[in-house]
Amino acid sequence: MTSVRTRFAPSPTGFLHIGGARTALFAWAYARRHGGQFILRIEDTDVARSTPEAVQAILDGMNWLGLAHDEGPFYQMQRMDRYKAVIADMLAAGTAYHCYTTREELDALRAEQEARKEKPRYDGHWRPEPGKVLPAPPAGVPPVVRFRNPKDGVVGWDDQVKGRIEFANAELDDLIIARADGTPTYNFCVCVDDWDMRITHVIRGDDHVNNTPRQINILKALGAEVPTYAHLSMILGDDGTKLSKRHGAVSVMQYDDDGYLPAAVINYLARLGWSHGDDEVFSREQFVAWFDLDHITASAAQFNTEKLLWLNQYYLKQVPAPELAALVGARLGARGVDLSGGPDLEKAVALYVDRSNTLNVLADAVEVFYVPVSPAPELLAQHLSDEARPALADFATSLATVPWETAAIAALIKEMVARHGLKMPKLAMPLRVLLTGQAQTPSVDAVIELLGRERVREKLAAPTA
Ligand code: GLU
């Protein structure tokens, strides 16, 4: 049995977006699942829209997601000689032919056909047929090359997602495979590439369904093995409309900037149109072991930011503390925060990770321990009552001798509350605000323990207290 070979073939005209990443993930996983090869091909023949920055953005996105390719990246612009050689072979074999119909003649033809309410199509004027005598080529007209598409019958395939799809050959024009200047056209290059790269499974977006019959006919004319096709349905945004830039974080690297973990994004994308029973949370390895084409849904998948956040929170909690501290430390460092004057970052992130669903939320939360905090006057006014001041002062003094552990600090807070006849929030809330500038924190004894004796005493000694 031939080994599975899949490919991801992005056009470098923008970022690696969520839809492209999902396609790449499925093609990658299918190859991995079957011990096959995953090939990266950059379809850069649209010279006007392709940029080196977009190529880099795609490579960065793949790298961030951990979708390593086994072969490539191959660039179509570097394969022009090969395409031209195949076109020459097809002309020699009679599966393609020169067509001298000019753009003006085509426009006139189209106008006539439209006037007759017919579907506009090439009339086959230059198409060779048995017994047909072709006109002499006009002087000075550089010809295009057209593929000699079969006239009759149907071309179809068993789409692994959508089921049987068939097109009548009579509906398909003789596709231009080389322009008058000799450059090969998009659908043709894809065929030569899939053939040369011995692709066994084409997994791609369903915006290509209409290209597939043309590609199958060309592949057959080349004597190439026709791959298995799986066309993935589109992804809708949270609001049910087609996912687009309007939905914000469309570029994969934007998710990195926004504090998502690749593991969470991978897990999320895996469930975007594919399922394994009711399983929602699974590792990359588990996904590879389970992935198949049978359980890809034919209907559109809907993006759900809440679910992605939920998964991200789950994965954040799985990250070992030293690694999590390094990730958060890098973000704080990029903000210019000096970590040397604050508590152990590992302990800080451990205290806040349960309350954070992104690395950025976590970094925001712990940043207060490393920068000067000046509580907003409104917060102070709201939480620091006159009756709390003596308790706070008493507490600050008692801190000098309390054993520095959460339980002892908690006991001391309780003692102060009782001694000064207060309810717990009357003391806990101003402590939170004075120490972190925030009214919401994890358990205040844990925050105090984290900050350390000296820093707490300094903060409580500030004039506002
Ligand atoms: N370059 C095409 C795209 O970015 C993909 C072509 C294919 O997968 O066959 O949509």
Side-chain angles (χ1 to χ4, degrees):
M1 209 191 117
T2 47
S3 84
V4 164
R5 293 173 62 84
T6 64
R7 78 322 189 258
F8 177 51
S11 304
T13 55
F15 304 112
L16 178 63
H17 53 77
I18 280 295
R22 197 260 314 245
T23 303
L25 173 65
F26 284 13
W28 172 88
Y30 195 73
R32 289 287 170 275
R33 165 82 172 86
H34 295 279
Q37 306 291 302
F38 174 59
I39 292 141
L40 179 60
R41 177 167 90 216
I42 306 291
E43 302 202 325
D44 54 355
T45 55
D46 185 345
V47 188
R49 293 176 61 224
S50 300
T51 65
E53 292 76 24
V55 171
Q56 194 54 50
I58 290 164
L59 296 175
D60 290 347
M62 297 287 284
N63 190 39
W64 184 71
L65 290 168
L67 302 180
H69 50 272
D70 304 300
E71 292 175 26
F74 297 107
Y75 293 84
Q76 288 188 323
M77 285 307 284
Q78 293 173 10
R79 290 177 41 78
M80 285 296 146
D81 290 347
R82 170 65 181 149
Y83 305 136
K84 287 178 183 169
V86 176
I87 288 170
D89 290 347
M90 290 176 78
L91 284 168
T95 52
Y97 61 93
H98 284 127
C99 167
Y100 296 87
T101 307
T102 61
R103 167 110 326 266
E104 294 71 32
E105 287 167 339
L106 277 178
D107 289 345
L109 184 64
R110 166 186 287 265
E112 283 168 32
Q113 287 167 334
E114 281 173 355
R116 290 198 300 267
K117 302 247 180 308
E118 288 170 16
K119 197 175 155 198
R121 54 185 297 121
Y122 175 61
D123 63 359
H125 189 74
W126 294 95
R127 177 179 164 118
E129 302 287 2
K132 173 176 169 186
V133 180
L134 291 174
V141 178
V144 301
V145 179
R146 285 188 187 266
F147 171 60
R148 196 170 179 284
N149 196 74
K151 264 195 159 147
D152 308 311
V154 293
V155 49
W157 71 97
D158 292 315
D159 196 280
Q160 298 298 294
V161 177
K162 296 179 181 289
R164 183 78 192 162
I165 300 182
E166 288 184 347
F167 287 77
N169 274 320
E171 292 296 312
L172 306 173
D173 248 347
D174 281 357
L175 188 76
I176 295 176
I177 60 174
R179 301 182 187 88
D181 66 3
T183 56
T185 57
Y186 169 72
N187 270 300
F188 176 73
C189 298
V190 171
C191 294
V192 177
D193 289 347
D194 285 343
W195 180 32
D196 284 355
M197 295 167 198
R198 305 190 316 283
I199 301 303
T200 58
H201 295 75
V202 170
I203 300 171
R204 64 183 172 197
D206 69 358
D207 45 332
H208 290 281
V209 163
N210 287 330
N211 290 329
T212 306
R214 302 171 201 286
Q215 293 180 5
I216 290 176
N217 281 338
I218 293 173
L219 286 164
K220 282 184 177 160
L222 291 170
E225 195 86 37
V226 176
T228 298
Y229 291 93
H231 287 96
L232 308 176
S233 298
M234 67 163 114
I235 301 173
L236 304 176
D238 282 296
D239 59 358
T241 65
K242 190 173 185 293
L243 194 67
S244 73
K245 289 205 184 71
R246 280 183 297 109
H247 295 96
V250 170
S251 150
V252 166
M253 295 314 286
Q254 184 67 45
Y255 287 92
D256 180 23
D257 287 351
D258 291 350
Y260 290 87
L261 295 171
V265 175
I266 288 282
N267 191 159
Y268 183 74
L269 290 176
R271 284 286 290 107
L272 211 47
W274 174 84
S275 59
H276 182 268
D278 292 332
D279 293 303
E280 290 292 353
V281 182
F282 41 81
S283 67
R284 176 190 302 263
E285 292 70 30
Q286 189 63 74
F287 175 54
V288 166
W290 283 339
F291 184 64
D292 59 1
L293 302 177
D294 303 338
H295 291 88
I296 298 177
T297 46
S299 54
Q302 185 153 355
F303 201 84
N304 180 335
T305 305
E306 285 305 311
K307 190 169 155 194
L308 174 58
L309 279 168
W310 177 80
L311 274 172
N312 203 50
Q313 173 148 37
Y314 171 86
Y315 280 97
L316 276 178
K317 285 197 246 174
Q318 312 302 311
V319 180
E323 212 179 299
L324 192 58
L327 291 170
V328 172
R331 276 167 206 258
L332 290 174
R335 299 179 187 178
V337 174
D338 174 12
L339 296 174
S340 62
D344 180 359
L345 185 58
E346 252 182 71
K347 287 174 75 177
V349 299
L351 186 56
Y352 276 84
V353 68
D354 284 352
R355 316 163 65 85
S356 309
N357 51 17
T358 71
L359 285 171
N360 291 2
V361 169
L362 185 51
D364 289 346
V366 300
E367 185 175 342
V368 295
F369 297 113
Y370 306 93
V371 295
V373 165
S374 38
E378 315 84 74
L379 265 189
L380 278 176
Q382 189 183 344
H383 295 290
L384 178 56
S385 59
D386 283 342
E387 47 180 340
R389 286 179 195 273
L392 275 169
D394 199 357
F395 179 67
T397 313
S398 312
L399 278 179
T401 50
V402 71
W404 206 254
E405 59 195 33
T406 314
I409 296 166
L412 180 62
I413 296 174
K414 273 204 183 121
E415 193 188 320
M416 293 296 130
V417 163
R419 185 184 298 169
H420 293 269
L422 300 172
K423 292 234 161 58
M424 179 57 96
K426 284 279 178 209
L427 181 58
M429 291 311 294
L431 278 173
R432 288 191 160 94
V433 172
L434 288 168
L435 297 176
T436 69
Q438 293 163 353
Q440 266 131 31
T441 73
S443 173
V444 71
D445 44 44
V447 170
I448 290 170
E449 198 270 340
L450 171 71
L451 267 168
R453 202 186 302 266
E454 284 321 305
R455 276 184 288 262
V456 173
R457 295 188 72 199
E458 267 166 42
K459 286 174 194 278
L460 294 185
T464 35

